[in-house]
């Protein structure tokens, strides 16, 4: 038996001098107004001894039940073997339609699966996945006659069997087979985040400290931290390089990529050997500081900021300009004025020259909370907005990938008349059950687990009965997606992780991005997560 613990002494937190970076930038950000209601303290403000199931009301309703057991059975069936060892989970078990690439192991899709296995006390599959994708990273990456950067991680891989040689090989896809031929920017970030989760959950530093892993992290960061013509600390990306992997007008500086970038940088800072990577660690610290300031100041939107934009002057020149991106007030969409509550706020979908994408994107905002990119006040405001706009963002099946949908002429121009991303479908305002796990993690961190609890209750009414679809369509998520695969593995894993987080909030510590000094989980054994320490091979 292995024992698990989380090492809270690896890092003292993001710092600038002797001050915590979160404290510095909290003072630089306008504080959003908050709903006047009683709340539990945030996860960061509590010891994990307190953060047991008893800290939530109606604990009885958090019992796992038959649906949870069914989910685990489905998750285990999705496991992919390579040369007799588990290396990941297949994207979907649905055999009713053409498989396309749903029979492959996707890096971003495997993250909730990997977290579920870590929480279950079964780290082998996660370790194998991390090692195999690392090997694929070092292989040849070519699209037509162009070689991709050395640090690019694959979007997915497939196990191929040669009947003649009786040998199995891994065939990666770096974007050369993807729709639009776009490399996955998020894969490298998810890989670093999962490596951090594995290291914290197992207390096994040997994998992260291995030369191969140290080199893999460095190669990923080399792509992101390279010098260029950028005047912003955010990462410039093409459309389709993330979870929204089709043309949806998110080129530029999408919130999902920026939040994942921030979280991966924080994880990498604690994973890299400081003495061997002193210069790189210093560059990470400087980028984090600049990125925090930029995101919290320019990407944040609440009622006060919306009113300021409404009154912007344009064509301002000089360092004293208020409208720094030259955004035209006439470009404000009509829906935003009714959508923005009196108390609440969120990070914009995109900010760039003369461009503000006012759409609300779930993953980016939740990752901003989990990674501490959002200040405590901003985190609270994001949750306030979700509660205030419950019908729009949660509806009958959580959770909207973005809001609102693009329609009419805008849909034609922005999506290129994409027949799969019609209004309120797929990436265009569709509802994705996988997002339950990030919502749950964010809710627990802010100290409002009831938000996640209510969302999970809604999902449990239909998700299993409908066959674990990939996504749902319609304004309220009433209909199974018109092209959604059934038995989608990350829909299953997202539900499992959400349930396990609610049952044992200490699991959230494995997602703390390496430097959260306030999270000090106790060494204890729970019924849902076998605690293990691979360095000592002893049990409590």
């Amino acid at each position: 038996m292995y024992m698990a613990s989380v090492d809270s002494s690896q890092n003292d937190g993001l710092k600038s001098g002797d001050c915590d970076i979160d404290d510095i930038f909290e003072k630089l950000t306008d504080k959003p107004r908050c709903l006047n209601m009683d709340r539990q303290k945030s996860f960061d403000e509590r010891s994990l001894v307190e953060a047991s199931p008893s800290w939530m009301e109606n604990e009885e309703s958090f019992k796992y039940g038959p649906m949870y057991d069914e989910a685990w059975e489905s998750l285990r069936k999705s496991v992919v073997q390579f040369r007799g060892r588990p290396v990941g989970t297949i994207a979907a078990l649905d055999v009713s339609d053409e498989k396309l690439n749903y029979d492959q192991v996707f890096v971003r899709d495997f993250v909730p699966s990997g977290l579920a296995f870590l929480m279950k006390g079964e780290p082998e599959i996660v370790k194998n996945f991390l090692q195999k994708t690392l090997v694929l990273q070092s292989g040849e990456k070519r699209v037509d006659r162009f070689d991709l950067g050395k640090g690019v991680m694959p979007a997915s891989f497939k196990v191929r069997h040669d009947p003649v040689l009786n040998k199995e090989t891994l065939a990666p896809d770096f974007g050369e087979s993807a729709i639009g031929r776009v490399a996955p920017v998020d894969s490298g970030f998810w890989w670093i985040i999962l490596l951090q989760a594995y290291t914290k959950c197992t207390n096994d530093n040997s994998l992260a400290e291995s030369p191969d892993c140290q080199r893999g992290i460095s190669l990923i960061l080399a792509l992101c931290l390279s010098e260029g013509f950028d005047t912003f600390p955010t990462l410039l990306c093409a459309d389709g390089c993330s979870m929204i992997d089709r043309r949806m007008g998110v080129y530029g500086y999408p919130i999902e990529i920026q939040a994942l970038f921030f979280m991966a940088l924080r994880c990498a800072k604690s994973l890299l050997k400081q003495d061997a990577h002193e210069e790189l660690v210093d560059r990470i610290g400087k980028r984090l500081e600049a990125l925090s300031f930029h995101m919290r100041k320019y990407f944040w939107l609440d009622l006060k900021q919306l009113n300021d934009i409404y009154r912007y002057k344009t064509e301002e020149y000089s360092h004293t300009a208020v409208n720094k991106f030259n955004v035209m007030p006439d470009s404000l969409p009509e829906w935003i004025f009714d959508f923005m509550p009196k108390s609440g706020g969120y990070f914009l979908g995109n900010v760039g020259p003369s461009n503000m994408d006012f759409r609300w994107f779930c993953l980016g905002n939740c990752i901003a909370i989990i990674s501490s990119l959002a200040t405590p006040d901003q985190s609270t405001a994001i949750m306030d907005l979700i509660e205030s706009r419950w019908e729009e963002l949660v509806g009958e099946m959580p959770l909207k990938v973005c809001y609102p949908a693009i329609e009419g002429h805008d849909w034609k121009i922005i999506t290129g008349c994409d027949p799969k991303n019609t209004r309120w479908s797929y990436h265009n305002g569709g509802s994705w059950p996988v997002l339950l796990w990030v919502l749950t993690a964010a809710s627990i961190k802010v100290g409002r687990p009831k938000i996640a609890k209510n969302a999970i209750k809604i999902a449990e009414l239909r998700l299993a009965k409908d066959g674990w679809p990939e996504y749902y369509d319609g304004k309220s998520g009433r209909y199974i997606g018109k092209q959604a695969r059934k038995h989608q593995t990350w829909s299953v894993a997202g539900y499992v992780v959400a349930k396990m987080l609610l049952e044992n909030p200490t699991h959230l510590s494995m997602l703390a991005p390496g430097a959260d000094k306030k999270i000090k989980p106790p060494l204890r054994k729970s019924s849902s997560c076998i605690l293990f320490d691979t360095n000592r091979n002893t049990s409590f």
Side-chain angles (χ1 to χ4, degrees):
M1 161 143 350
Y2 292 106
M3 295 272 331
S5 63
V6 182
D7 185 1
S8 62
S9 62
Q10 290 181 2
N11 208 306
D12 289 329
L14 281 177
K15 293 185 178 180
S16 176
D18 293 327
C19 301
D20 188 270
I21 198 169
D22 289 341
D23 296 332
I24 293 174
F25 287 107
E26 182 181 356
K27 298 176 182 178
L28 297 176
T29 309
D30 289 335
K31 295 184 178 180
R33 298 176 184 176
C34 301
L35 294 176
N36 184 19
M37 61 175 66
D38 292 332
R39 295 195 184 92
Q40 299 174 46
K41 293 180 181 179
S42 74
F43 189 72
D44 285 343
E45 295 168 343
R46 308 173 61 87
S47 72
L48 286 179
V49 175
E50 296 177 72
S52 61
S54 61
W55 72 296
M56 295 173 289
E57 297 178 358
N58 302 323
E59 178 188 346
E60 188 67 24
S61 63
F62 283 70
K63 299 281 184 187
Y64 286 137
M67 182 172 167
Y68 173 82
D69 296 335
E70 176 188 330
W72 261 110
E73 183 181 354
S74 179
L75 188 57
R76 293 194 187 283
K77 287 180 180 178
S78 71
V79 171
V80 174
Q81 301 283 335
F82 176 66
R83 299 179 182 176
R85 302 174 66 185
V87 292
T89 51
I90 199 171
L93 287 170
D94 189 359
V95 295
S96 60
D97 293 313
E98 183 185 358
K99 285 185 174 62
L100 296 177
N101 57 357
Y102 284 79
D103 62 344
Q104 299 186 23
V105 179
F106 280 80
V107 172
R108 76 173 66 96
D109 290 38
F110 179 71
V111 171
S113 296
L115 293 176
F117 282 109
L118 287 175
M119 294 177 187
K120 196 74 170 175
E122 302 175 17
E124 180 192 2
I125 186 173
V126 178
K127 185 174 184 178
N128 294 339
F129 170 85
L130 291 168
Q131 290 175 324
K132 295 306 177 186
T133 47
L134 191 60
V135 172
L136 295 176
Q137 181 199 40
S138 62
E140 180 181 290
K141 298 181 283 288
R142 176 171 292 186
V143 178
D144 293 330
R145 299 184 181 182
F146 181 71
D147 293 324
L148 277 67
K150 293 181 179 179
V152 175
M153 278 286 180
S156 63
F157 64 84
K158 184 176 181 178
V159 177
R160 287 181 177 171
H161 180 73
D162 188 332
V164 177
L165 299 177
N166 193 27
K167 183 179 179 180
E168 288 183 336
T169 57
L170 295 179
D173 176 14
F174 292 95
E176 70 271 22
S177 299
I179 294 175
R181 301 301 188 267
V182 178
V185 175
D186 62 335
S187 286
F189 299 151
W190 280 123
W191 186 88
I192 293 175
I193 292 167
L194 188 59
L195 175 62
Q196 170 81 350
Y198 170 84
T199 303
K200 281 199 164 190
C201 190
T202 63
N203 202 27
D204 175 16
N205 297 311
S206 61
L207 177 61
E209 292 179 356
S210 67
D212 289 340
C213 269
Q214 293 287 302
R215 180 176 181 271
I217 296 171
S218 300
L219 287 175
I220 293 170
L221 298 183
L223 290 174
C224 309
L225 300 177
S226 59
E227 295 179 351
F229 292 96
D230 297 313
T231 55
F232 312 137
T234 41
L235 197 61
L236 183 63
C237 302
D239 222 341
C241 66
S242 61
M243 175 185 173
I244 300 178
D245 57 4
R246 296 169 76 95
R247 179 178 169 186
M248 271 290 292
V250 294
Y251 56 88
Y253 308 93
I255 178 60
E256 176 182 333
I257 292 297
Q258 311 314 317
L260 287 172
F261 181 33
F262 180 86
M263 188 168 183
L265 285 175
R266 292 195 66 180
C267 292
K269 192 170 185 286
S270 68
L271 291 168
L272 288 169
K273 292 182 178 179
Q274 305 290 313
D275 53 346
H277 300 278
E278 184 177 355
E279 182 181 350
L280 179 57
V281 170
D282 182 62
R283 291 177 66 192
I284 292 173
K286 290 179 180 178
R287 189 61 168 263
L288 282 168
E289 192 170 343
L291 186 59
S292 296
F293 176 83
H294 185 90
M295 296 298 295
R296 294 173 180 179
K297 184 174 179 65
Y298 300 119
F299 271 68
W300 182 252
L301 186 71
D302 55 17
L303 189 59
K304 179 185 178 303
Q305 179 66 7
L306 179 59
N307 196 66
D308 289 345
I309 297 172
Y310 180 71
R311 292 167 50 81
Y312 266 170
K313 295 179 180 179
T314 60
E315 307 301 327
E316 293 182 298
Y317 181 79
S318 84
H319 296 289
T320 61
V322 176
N323 185 2
K324 296 182 183 296
F325 296 94
N326 198 37
V327 174
M328 306 298 164
D330 288 344
S331 68
L332 283 164
E334 291 185 9
W335 63 266
I336 190 63
F337 296 102
D338 293 327
F339 180 74
M340 180 61 67
K342 291 182 179 180
S343 177
Y346 65 103
F347 287 101
L348 292 169
N350 215 320
V351 175
S354 296
N355 173 50
M356 281 188 175
D357 185 344
F358 289 90
R359 285 176 293 176
W360 180 87
F361 288 85
C362 177
L363 183 58
N365 276 274
C366 288
I367 293 294
I369 294 174
I370 297 167
S371 67
S372 296
L373 172 59
T375 66
D377 283 340
Q378 288 174 339
S379 297
T380 297
I382 292 170
M383 287 299 159
D384 288 345
L385 180 130
I386 292 174
E387 283 193 320
S388 298
R389 297 293 174 255
W390 189 261
E391 292 302 318
E392 293 93 334
L393 303 179
V394 178
E396 296 185 34
M397 179 55 67
L399 194 67
K400 286 296 178 194
V401 65
C402 69
Y403 182 90
I406 305 170
E407 305 181 66
H409 182 70
D410 289 340
W411 168 78
K412 293 181 179 179
I413 299 300
I414 294 175
T415 74
C417 299
D418 188 346
K420 196 167 185 178
N421 273 332
T422 53
R423 63 176 186 171
W424 307 114
S425 179
Y426 203 43
H427 299 129
N428 190 12
S431 299
W432 292 70
V434 64
L435 296 172
L436 278 171
W437 83 265
V438 289
L439 174 67
T440 302
S443 300
I444 291 173
K445 181 163 185 181
V446 178
R448 299 179 46 192
K450 194 171 182 179
I451 292 176
K453 177 182 174 182
N454 290 337
I456 291 172
K457 281 183 176 179
I458 292 173
E460 287 178 332
L461 294 175
R462 297 178 51 200
L463 191 55
K465 294 178 181 178
D466 292 342
W468 305 95
E470 179 183 13
Y471 63 93
Y472 286 77
D473 286 352
K475 249 186 175 181
S476 62
R478 179 176 295 180
Y479 309 101
I480 297 174
K482 59 185 176 182
Q483 295 187 43
R485 289 300 191 276
K486 296 288 189 73
H487 303 286
Q488 185 79 13
T489 302
W490 74 348
S491 294
V492 174
Y495 169 76
V496 167
V497 172
K499 292 287 283 188
M500 297 180 85
L501 281 171
L502 280 178
E503 192 273 342
N504 185 1
T506 64
H507 290 313
L508 184 60
S509 60
M510 75 170 69
L511 288 168
D516 203 329
K517 59 186 178 182
K518 296 179 182 178
I519 296 181
K520 298 179 180 180
L523 299 177
R524 70 180 181 83
K525 185 176 179 181
S526 80
S527 59
S528 65
C529 179
I530 298 175
L531 303 180
F532 47 91
D533 184 336
T534 56
N535 291 330
R536 291 178 290 183
N537 283 334
T538 58
S539 60
F540 282 64

